[in-house]
Amino acid sequence: MTTKRSRLSISIIDTKRITPEEWDGYQSFPTITNVDGDLLVGFRRAVNISEDLRQVMDHGMAGDIYTTRSADGGINFDRPELVISHATEQTNEHDALLTHLNRGRVLLISRTHTSHLRRNYYSLSTDGGRTFPDRMPLDPPGGEWASFGHFIPSLDDENTFIGTFYNGPGCGTFRLNPESGEISGQSYIYQSIPEYRLNETSIARLHSGRILALIRQQPCLDGLFKAYSDDDGKTWSAPEPIGLYGEAPSLKVLPDGRVLAIYRGMIRKNRKCRVALTCSEDGGESWSHPKTLAWYKGGRFHGGYGDLAVNDKGQVIAVYYISRKHEAPVVERMVLEVG
């Protein structure tokens, strides 16, 4: 029997590019975290690539990592600051995954991607993400890449935080002590099969204590998958499709317990792609009809990775990258009211 989907009511208050207008390059993969009222965004900026290379190296080359901060709830953002330079490191950075842990500590996970170096690194800021010390390697067991989405606090150890890994034999979670760098508690959600794999995984803790995971399928045959853990990430339910076709989900639990997911919305056998938003009112069991925040051009790689935060007014701040006119993508933010 087909499940009837609820409808999501949202109002788009404002949309704004948050990278400088004079910037070129391939701007992508933004994440956002609330640091004691400030909203801190990390993203990648890479060199533009020619059309004949676009299907070979879709995300550009020579990637740098930047952060930008908003002190007014996501309305305005400071000029971006360079955190990791490809010119200095020669590492072609691909991700800037930011999580505010507690007490002004902000964890930055970055991912290198060159012909001779494919590795994850982490840096722990102790001043609210204003500065980041030299990075340390992050090598999770059983997965090539870590992480996707945000880390969440573990319940039984105040010193460890739960993150995700993917590729390699499959996807799952692990625990990281950001002070010591110790990795523990590896747990698979899914192990790859020849037909497809589940990889980029976003996790969030529901008000009940349960951890919800939303997972990308590659290639995209059924769309997004969900899984649950009721023992703090030690074991997971078998992943199930949620019936929404797309990739790269990111979860945010609202103060009232509803769960939002922003993702790259796709249409079967069609090149049209969108930044999409859906909501669950029952802890991830069912999901609303998706709302389109923005359509984009240039193929699926030219947008759709997004992230969500809630400001002090209760508004939802969405960040994503997007190409509106077949140009290289830029980073935008959108202010939303969720009904």
Side-chain angles (χ1 to χ4, degrees):
M1 184 175 69
T2 302
T3 301
K4 186 176 180 180
R5 294 191 184 277
S6 61
R7 296 199 174 274
L8 173 60
S9 174
I10 63 170
S11 298
I12 298 176
I13 307 302
D14 189 46
T15 302
K16 181 180 181 180
R17 175 176 173 172
I18 61 172
T19 50
E21 293 290 337
E22 70 274 15
W23 270 19
D24 59 6
Y26 196 107
Q27 304 163 32
S28 59
F29 307 140
T31 60
I32 186 169
T33 191
N34 191 318
V35 185
D36 300 324
D38 284 359
L39 297 180
L40 184 66
V41 172
F43 65 95
R44 176 181 188 254
R45 181 192 182 197
V47 174
N48 275 339
I49 53 176
S50 62
E51 287 292 337
D52 59 342
L53 285 177
R54 191 149 285 169
Q55 299 305 316
V56 178
M57 188 173 287
D58 299 276
H59 302 306
M61 299 171 283
D64 298 326
I65 297 300
Y66 286 82
T67 61
T68 179
R69 181 182 300 268
S70 172
D72 59 5
I75 304 303
N76 299 290
F77 281 83
D78 297 338
R79 187 173 181 85
E81 295 185 0
L82 181 64
V83 177
I84 305 171
S85 167
H86 171 79
T88 301
E89 304 290 335
Q90 294 295 300
T91 48
N92 187 21
E93 301 297 323
H94 264 58
D95 290 324
L97 304 170
L98 294 172
T99 303
H100 178 222
L101 303 179
N102 52 28
R103 304 189 303 275
R105 298 189 303 166
V106 177
L107 184 64
L108 168 64
I109 307 295
S110 55
R111 175 166 67 93
T112 66
H113 197 295
T114 71
S115 59
H116 62 276
L117 179 63
R118 293 165 64 91
R119 200 174 192 183
N120 315 282
Y121 293 86
Y122 78 96
S123 177
L124 182 64
S125 170
T126 58
D127 59 5
R130 298 185 184 280
T131 60
F132 288 90
D134 291 342
R135 298 179 295 167
M136 299 293 291
L138 177 63
D139 299 318
E144 182 180 22
W145 298 127
S147 280
F148 188 80
H150 299 280
F151 280 72
I152 62 174
S154 62
L155 294 180
D156 56 4
D157 182 354
E158 65 179 8
N159 297 313
T160 65
F161 295 81
I162 303 171
T164 66
F165 64 83
Y166 64 97
N167 286 5
C171 68
T173 56
F174 68 99
R175 296 189 179 197
L176 172 69
N177 181 324
E179 297 287 351
S180 67
E182 180 183 359
I183 292 174
S184 61
Q186 174 196 4
S187 176
Y188 277 99
I189 299 174
Y190 181 85
Q191 292 186 276
S192 299
I193 60 175
E195 291 75 16
Y196 64 85
R197 62 188 180 189
L198 300 183
N199 54 8
E200 294 167 336
T201 302
S202 176
I203 57 174
R205 192 179 299 281
L206 307 178
H207 287 187
S208 65
R210 165 179 273 190
I211 302 176
L212 169 66
L214 212 57
I215 317 166
R216 172 183 176 174
Q217 182 190 39
Q218 187 176 348
C220 188
L221 304 173
D222 305 290
L224 302 178
F225 280 65
K226 66 179 179 182
Y228 300 101
S229 175
D230 290 311
D231 57 7
D232 211 27
K234 297 179 178 67
T235 60
W236 291 87
S237 66
E240 302 175 8
I242 68 171
L244 296 177
Y245 192 67
E247 302 174 327
S250 182
L251 293 167
K252 182 63 182 179
V253 179
L254 299 181
D256 63 10
R258 290 180 294 170
V259 185
L260 291 180
I262 188 171
Y263 67 101
R264 171 189 284 157
M266 296 155 59
I267 301 173
R268 295 180 189 274
K269 300 180 180 180
N270 192 314
R271 282 175 56 86
K272 291 187 69 175
C273 292
R274 59 182 174 164
V275 181
L277 189 71
T278 184
C279 180
S280 176
E281 298 183 351
D282 54 12
E285 294 291 341
S286 63
W287 295 86
S288 71
H289 283 285
K291 284 283 189 178
T292 299
L293 301 184
W295 293 98
Y296 63 89
K297 299 179 181 294
R300 90 178 207 271
F301 291 115
H302 275 43
Y305 277 70
D307 199 15
L308 302 167
V310 178
N311 67 16
D312 291 346
K313 296 180 180 179
Q315 297 169 319
V316 174
I317 308 300
V319 293
Y320 49 88
Y321 76 100
I322 188 168
S323 174
R324 293 188 179 274
K325 299 177 182 179
H326 292 285
E327 80 279 25
V330 301
V331 178
E332 291 184 351
R333 73 95 179 96
M334 190 175 285
V335 182
L336 306 169
E337 297 276 5
V338 180

